[in-house]
Amino acid sequence: MTTPGCSEGRDSRSLWRDPNSSATSRVHAQKGSRAQGAVPAGRGRRANSGHGERAGCCNRGGMATGAARGRGVAAAGWRVCLAHRFEEPRQPYGAGDVPFHDVLRHIGLALRYFRWWYKKTRIEKKSAFIDLLCAVPLQQIYGCPLGGIGGGTITRGWRGEFCRWQLNPGIYHYETVIANQFTVCLRCKGQTVYQQVLSVERPSTLQGWNWGYCGHYAFYHALYPRAWMVYELPGQNVVLTCRQVSPVIPHDYKDSSLPVGVFIWEVENGKDEDVDVSIMFSLQNGTGTKEDRSGGHWNEPFAFEKDGERVAGVLLHHCTRVNPFTLAISAREKAGTGVTHLTAFNPTGSGREVWQDLLQDGRLDSPAGKSSLTEKGEVTAAAVCASCRVPARGHRTLELALAWDMPRVYFGSKEKLHLRRYTRFFGSGGDAAPALSHHALTHYEEWERKIEAWQKPILENSQLPSWYKSALFNELYFVTDGGTIWVELPPDCHAEDLQGPAGAGLSHLLPVLREYGRFAYLEGQEYRMYNTYDVHFYASFALVMLWPKLQISLQYDIAVTVVNEDVQPRQYLMCGQTAQVKLKNVVPHDIGDPGDEPWQRVNAYLMHDTADWKDLNLKFVLQVYRDYYLTRDSLYLRDMWPVCQAVMESELKFDMDNDGLIENGGFADQTYDAWVVNGASAYCGGLWLAAVCVMCKMAEVLGDAEIQQKYTDILSKGKEAFERMLWNGKYYNYDSSGSDTSSSIMSDQCAGQWFLGACGLDQGEFEVFPKSHVVSALKTIFEKNVMSFAGGTMGAVNGMRPDGVPDTSSVQSNEVWIGVVYALAATMIQEGLVEEGFRTAEGCYRTVWERLGMAFQTPEAYREKKVYRSLAYMRPLSIWSMQLALERRASRAPAPVQSPQVPIHP
């Protein structure tokens, strides 16, 4: 496991130690035996915090004081002591970080962008799809998000706070709502002996509550989609383990869509007497924004019983004009477990009435009836409490849940109503929260069995390093927390409604989208464009390996846009020229902005006219065959074949000299959208040859001899040109322009080979790049971009000069792109450089998760010092290509390259 901040020092092998492994921890646990939050017997008043002389205990760094290991905590994962402080605060990349020569070169861009930004944000009062002037500040607080795929997410921080909200699709609020807490009450022999909010915070509101739990007695452990918080209650000989579970289950297209999270509280009583334990879950009606005070919100208690199982709690109805929703907090009733509630209280007051209610008997008063509607400016909250008796030296479990129901959603334009995926199973009437809560509390054990069965082979593989196990699963957070939306197709929708006037001829489009819905996720929480395709190329491995039907659905949506166009003119900010939004027969950059109307209006990105980008069309073709290779979905391949031919025909115009190799256009015409490339290039040229190769293979599979011969001839010419123009004896040059930086070593130069390897087309008759050249290039990248950069501890810098100095010709060439590094590591593993691959990827994981405190917000990029760019980004999902490479390597027998023939027409 990886454990930031829970030891007094570091060893040379692992950056961090287990928080419970040091003898020092046990000594501190013994010293701190005075009851934190203890209540003198027989006194019905606010619990004394009991901190006294230890008031500063949480400011001593990250050392773990508690010795408790918790119950059922996973061995692998990311672990942090609640008292930890990350000591390297970084700043988002800003105008002051742009080199002077770049400022002069891009003065026109700056003026155009500011003019556009001012109109969008100040006049139209809308958010910018990329806000370069108001970046989201780094908060080193985030933990596992709650919720399944596409129903919205609520992120709980590693100190227990509810702090990041995405209920409106694609729109984020970064608000810590202080009333959202778990509180524990212990009673012995009819007297409350301990009552404590399980939070290290000391807020200015709810001061009638006992805050300031000492973080040294607790730790957080994440292995997505589950997380554990282990609290030792000092002086009480009681240990609490809160296990957080979300329904994120591979190959599951029902429960994985549910907007729910479950909290299973394992209570271990080390006393020689019984203890009555209560866990109170309090929640504010809303998400901490100004809408919480807009008035008209209300709460009501509920109970839901089905199949002999009963859950009870409170519904918090948040009645906004657009996208209203209901929150539900609940607990499972069972023999020996009582559930009580408080329908409404004021979370901005002292909270004394709530505290005293719980303190008196470990239960809440459970008033009947609905609360009144809130007045404008008023905020309301509710609480549910689960209680049980834990025998001496015994253990009991309390189960609570959080659900939210926003079934019918509008995007920013408010033009079309969309029904979320889960409404297929729970209805769209806005009254599903009780049934969702019941389903979560009665099915989470089944979810966990499936999660464990999926993760177990990887976790138990002793040949895999522990950091990799943590990275592989925890980076999956973005599948749900990438502003993700998963919606149903309207029942009255017809194929022509989807395919537009041009008609894509996709015979299975309608059946696929009807069965599996439409899926979209953002490029990043700060880069607000759905399904950004040049980046999804990297991230798509997570989808195709775990939820392949979502990848297929996404590809059908892209295919539909390919054959359509949007002739509306607009100015592009980088060059200042005016061109139409979308050309026919080219792959779009994205399928739209959640602030507008995704799917209907594509290409929210307006920095460049991406019709001239060289990588988008190629990435579509490569994904089509990769998807077919892994899923054997021949209907999908047959549908996509004409679209692949169309985009490759569009791409051929970039082969200006008819040598079988495309040329870049002298601007940043690919995913590195600030890094100029001119002429033949390693990145786009390599992707081109890989795409030509898979066209040959798809034509063979489909029995299309004419197209197969066409692309076989192109491939033969192109391979020769690529080697002649770019191979320098050690690696492939950045481009063939002969400029001062054309000989730079690009970390992503083998992207084409990476994808061919994932498709089983990297050997024999389908070998495009000579294996000796690929291995030499990868070894050069490892020597220069990895080991000569930051002492080999931060991954691979994008561009490195042959003399071992980072390429500073672009704002992107001297960045590290985490998603690119994971893809590079996968390529190394494919080519037998396993140790180098793990060493390369480890640098990124250690930097992001352990050093910079960017857990569950992995950025697109960072530099060696000072800055990062674009928090919570899509591309790092490419780590799943490492897992695919490892699985292929372990099997020693990849799927046969000779695929069965699939006729072009059924």
Side-chain angles (χ1 to χ4, degrees):
M1 83 196 70
T2 56
T3 42
C6 289
S7 69
E8 292 181 276
R10 304 182 183 182
D11 58 38
S12 59
R13 180 66 192 91
S14 174
L15 287 179
W16 311 100
R17 296 175 183 159
D18 189 311
N20 304 312
S21 64
S22 71
T24 312
S25 295
R26 296 182 180 87
V27 171
H28 279 282
Q30 291 165 4
K31 282 183 179 179
S33 61
R34 182 182 173 202
Q36 182 189 40
V39 180
R43 294 189 188 174
R45 60 177 179 81
R46 178 191 171 199
N48 183 351
S49 72
H51 283 185
E53 71 279 4
R54 294 192 298 109
C57 71
C58 292
N59 297 316
R60 299 193 306 245
M63 186 179 62
T65 304
R69 293 184 176 274
R71 189 176 184 89
V73 183
W78 179 74
R79 184 172 294 192
V80 60
C81 171
L82 265 61
H84 182 59
R85 297 290 184 271
F86 289 96
E87 295 179 358
E88 187 176 345
R90 287 216 167 189
Q91 299 299 317
Y93 188 88
D97 300 299
V98 181
F100 183 67
H101 62 85
D102 279 330
V103 172
L104 295 177
R105 189 167 55 186
H106 295 303
I107 191 71
L109 165 66
L111 292 173
R112 286 186 290 273
Y113 177 84
F114 180 77
R115 187 165 57 242
W116 170 84
W117 177 89
Y118 187 86
K119 179 184 177 186
K120 175 69 70 172
T121 62
R122 298 299 185 262
I123 298 175
E124 298 177 8
K125 304 296 182 184
K126 296 179 180 178
S127 298
F129 76 98
I130 298 179
D131 196 329
L132 301 177
L133 302 180
C134 300
V136 175
L138 173 62
Q139 297 187 81
Q140 299 161 316
I141 62 174
Y142 296 117
C144 275
L146 290 155
I149 301 173
T153 45
I154 299 172
T155 296
R156 194 166 177 232
W158 52 264
R159 292 192 184 96
E161 61 271 66
F162 290 77
C163 50
R164 185 168 66 195
W165 307 78
Q166 188 259 144
L167 298 187
N168 286 310
I171 307 300
Y172 277 85
H173 299 292
Y174 304 91
E175 309 284 346
T176 294
V177 183
I178 202 66
N180 297 355
Q181 299 292 343
F182 288 100
T183 296
V184 62
C185 174
L186 304 183
R187 290 171 59 82
C188 293
K189 298 175 182 177
Q191 298 291 333
T192 299
V193 296
Y194 182 93
Q195 189 161 298
Q196 176 71 43
V197 184
L198 294 171
S199 169
V200 300
E201 300 292 336
R202 296 176 180 272
S204 58
T205 57
L206 296 173
Q207 291 196 342
W209 295 15
N210 188 35
W211 298 90
Y213 175 87
C214 183
H216 291 284
Y217 289 102
F219 67 88
Y220 177 87
H221 187 96
L223 187 68
Y224 190 75
R226 298 192 294 172
W228 294 257
M229 296 192 77
V230 177
Y231 302 89
E232 183 179 353
L233 305 184
Q236 302 306 310
N237 212 357
V238 171
V239 175
L240 305 176
T241 302
C242 176
R243 188 168 75 257
Q244 173 184 308
V245 181
S246 291
V248 181
I249 306 161
H251 307 286
D252 178 289
Y253 299 92
K254 179 189 174 183
D255 282 9
S256 287
S257 72
L258 302 184
V260 296
V262 181
F263 304 96
I264 304 99
W265 287 85
E266 309 276 5
V267 186
E268 297 175 275
N269 178 15
K271 292 176 180 286
D272 293 323
E273 60 180 335
D274 295 356
V275 178
D276 292 321
V277 178
S278 298
I279 299 291
M280 181 179 76
F281 183 14
S282 54
L283 193 79
Q284 183 166 308
N285 188 325
T287 61
T289 64
K290 64 182 181 181
E291 283 77 14
D292 292 10
R293 298 177 179 271
S294 62
H297 311 312
W298 57 286
N299 308 335
E300 63 173 326
F302 79 94
F304 190 98
E305 187 166 355
K306 180 182 177 183
D307 300 329
E309 294 275 4
R310 178 181 165 92
V311 303
V314 183
L315 303 176
L316 300 88
H317 301 291
H318 198 74
C319 304
T320 50
R321 185 174 57 85
V322 179
N323 298 345
F325 61 91
T326 296
L327 297 162
I329 51 176
S330 61
R332 187 180 189 176
E333 292 185 354
K334 57 187 179 184
T337 299
V339 178
T340 54
H341 71 269
L342 182 63
T343 308
F345 70 91
N346 177 10
T348 64
S350 72
R352 189 175 301 277
E353 73 284 4
V354 185
W355 192 262
Q356 292 299 326
D357 188 2
L358 183 64
L359 188 68
Q360 185 174 356
D361 57 5
R363 296 172 183 271
L364 298 174
D365 280 347
S366 298
K370 304 174 182 178
S371 73
S372 57
L373 300 181
T374 57
E375 299 289 339
K376 189 167 185 179
E378 183 184 5
V379 185
T380 187
V384 66
C385 179
S387 307
C388 69
R389 176 162 292 178
V390 185
R393 302 290 174 181
H395 159 260
R396 289 290 184 271
T397 302
L398 297 169
E399 300 149 301
L400 296 97
L402 172 62
W404 52 99
D405 183 26
M406 184 193 280
R408 302 155 64 86
V409 293
Y410 289 95
F411 290 108
S413 73
K414 305 179 184 64
E415 292 175 32
K416 288 189 174 183
L417 178 66
H418 301 268
L419 302 184
R420 295 196 194 259
R421 168 71 174 183
Y422 74 87
T423 62
R424 169 180 288 223
F425 315 107
F426 286 87
S428 59
D431 55 357
L436 285 166
S437 303
H438 185 277
H439 188 84
L441 286 167
T442 56
H443 286 77
Y444 78 84
E445 291 164 302
E446 176 188 340
W447 300 341
E448 288 196 281
R449 284 192 294 271
K450 292 178 179 178
I451 290 167
E452 287 167 0
W454 156 47
Q455 295 183 339
K456 184 177 180 181
I458 295 168
L459 299 180
E460 291 188 350
N461 186 340
S462 60
Q463 306 224 320
L464 298 176
S466 59
W467 68 263
Y468 170 76
K469 298 170 185 178
S470 173
L472 184 70
F473 292 114
N474 284 326
E475 291 289 8
L476 270 179
Y477 84 95
F478 197 83
V479 171
T480 62
D481 205 17
T484 312
I485 185 72
W486 187 3
V487 296
E488 290 286 274
L489 207 59
D492 58 350
C493 186
H494 300 96
E496 52 269 26
D497 299 328
L498 295 168
Q499 300 193 43
L506 303 168
S507 61
H508 291 87
L509 167 70
L510 203 57
V512 167
L513 296 189
R514 275 192 174 149
E515 181 63 25
Y516 297 104
R518 299 182 111 168
F519 171 87
Y521 61 155
L522 297 176
E523 179 178 337
Q525 290 180 12
E526 294 190 77
Y527 287 12
R528 215 182 57 215
M529 296 157 284
Y530 271 133
N531 294 350
T532 298
Y533 202 72
D534 56 300
V535 183
H536 172 70
F537 174 72
Y538 295 82
S540 62
F541 282 89
L543 280 190
V544 76
M545 292 173 70
L546 301 174
W547 294 276
K549 300 300 184 182
L550 295 185
Q551 167 67 7
I552 297 296
S553 169
L554 186 155
Q555 286 284 90
Y556 270 102
D557 272 330
I558 293 294
V560 165
T561 68
V562 166
V563 300
N564 287 293
E565 62 181 347
D566 182 345
V567 299
Q568 179 180 345
R570 67 178 179 185
Q571 184 185 50
Y572 289 93
L573 300 179
M574 185 67 74
C575 62
Q577 295 177 349
T578 298
Q580 68 185 64
V581 171
K582 166 73 172 64
L583 280 179
K584 188 175 181 179
N585 291 337
V586 298
V587 171
H589 175 272
D590 57 83
I591 58 102
D593 178 353
D596 186 23
E597 193 61 54
W599 292 297
Q600 182 171 320
R601 285 188 288 277
V602 304
N603 278 349
Y605 179 83
L606 46 70
M607 304 302 286
H608 294 273
D609 178 5
T610 59
D612 289 329
W613 274 20
K614 308 307 183 290
D615 59 340
L616 290 169
N617 297 328
L618 309 176
K619 288 172 173 177
F620 177 81
V621 172
L622 288 167
Q623 284 184 70
V624 166
Y625 183 73
R626 189 274 319 272
D627 297 345
Y628 165 72
Y629 176 75
L630 294 177
T631 67
R632 295 305 180 192
D633 188 338
S634 58
L635 298 176
Y636 164 75
L637 181 65
R638 188 184 301 122
D639 263 357
M640 294 296 147
W641 180 233
V643 185
C644 289
Q645 293 181 72
V647 300
M648 287 297 281
E649 282 297 318
S650 294
E651 193 77 11
L652 275 168
K653 68 177 178 288
F654 299 127
D655 181 7
M656 311 292 284
D657 52 8
N658 198 33
D659 64 352
L661 188 64
I662 63 168
E663 288 84 39
N664 290 87
F667 65 103
D669 52 358
Q670 25 71 44
T671 196
Y672 297 87
D673 59 352
W675 194 358
V676 172
V677 57
N678 199 4
S681 69
Y683 183 69
C684 291
L687 290 174
W688 162 256
L689 293 180
V692 171
C693 176
V694 302
M695 286 295 287
C696 296
K697 183 61 187 174
M698 287 190 287
E700 176 191 300
V701 170
L702 292 164
D704 193 332
E706 182 181 346
I707 295 296
Q708 183 179 0
Q709 187 60 54
K710 173 182 176 177
Y711 282 98
T712 298
D713 293 344
I714 292 172
L715 184 60
S716 178
K717 288 195 301 181
K719 284 163 61 174
E720 187 279 329
F722 187 80
E723 295 295 324
R724 171 171 45 82
M725 299 176 72
L726 295 168
W727 179 250
N728 64 19
K730 291 190 68 177
Y731 60 92
Y732 293 102
N733 284 335
Y734 177 68
D735 66 21
S736 64
S737 66
S739 69
D740 291 343
T741 56
S742 67
S743 61
S744 286
I745 307 160
M746 187 188 198
S747 65
D748 212 3
Q749 64 183 270
C750 295
Q753 176 71 4
W754 167 53
F755 238 76
L756 289 177
C759 297
L761 295 178
D762 54 345
Q763 54 193 335
E765 63 175 305
F766 289 99
E767 181 180 277
V768 173
F769 309 97
K771 185 170 181 63
S772 61
H773 289 188
V774 171
V775 171
S776 174
L778 292 172
K779 286 182 175 179
T780 302
I781 293 166
F782 183 72
E783 175 193 348
K784 298 292 188 179
N785 301 56
V786 179
M787 299 307 295
S788 298
F789 177 76
T793 63
M794 294 182 73
V797 69
N798 282 341
M800 181 67 84
R801 300 294 301 137
D803 61 1
V805 175
D807 181 341
T808 58
S809 63
S810 152
V811 297
Q812 292 174 338
S813 56
N814 68 337
E815 291 181 327
V816 175
W817 286 11
I818 296 90
V820 167
V821 171
Y822 288 151
L824 168 62
T827 315
M828 290 175 170
I829 291 167
Q830 284 175 188
E831 302 303 324
L833 303 176
V834 179
E835 185 176 342
E836 291 89 340
F838 277 123
R839 177 69 185 267
T840 298
E842 181 180 7
C844 281
Y845 175 79
R846 302 271 187 205
T847 299
V848 169
W849 289 76
E850 296 181 346
R851 185 175 136 203
L852 302 184
M854 295 178 176
F856 299 99
Q857 53 181 331
T858 304
E860 158 75 317
Y862 56 73
R863 290 191 175 173
E864 183 176 2
K865 297 177 181 177
K866 188 180 174 184
V867 297
Y868 65 86
R869 187 167 55 78
S870 188
L871 289 172
Y873 199 76
M874 178 197 289
R875 204 183 316 252
L877 285 171
S878 63
I879 193 170
W880 278 86
S881 69
M882 290 181 65
Q883 183 59 25
L884 181 63
L886 289 165
E887 290 174 7
R888 284 196 64 210
R889 183 173 176 80
S891 70
R892 303 281 180 187
V897 174
Q898 297 299 324
S899 309
Q901 292 265 314
V902 178
I904 294 177
H905 302 290

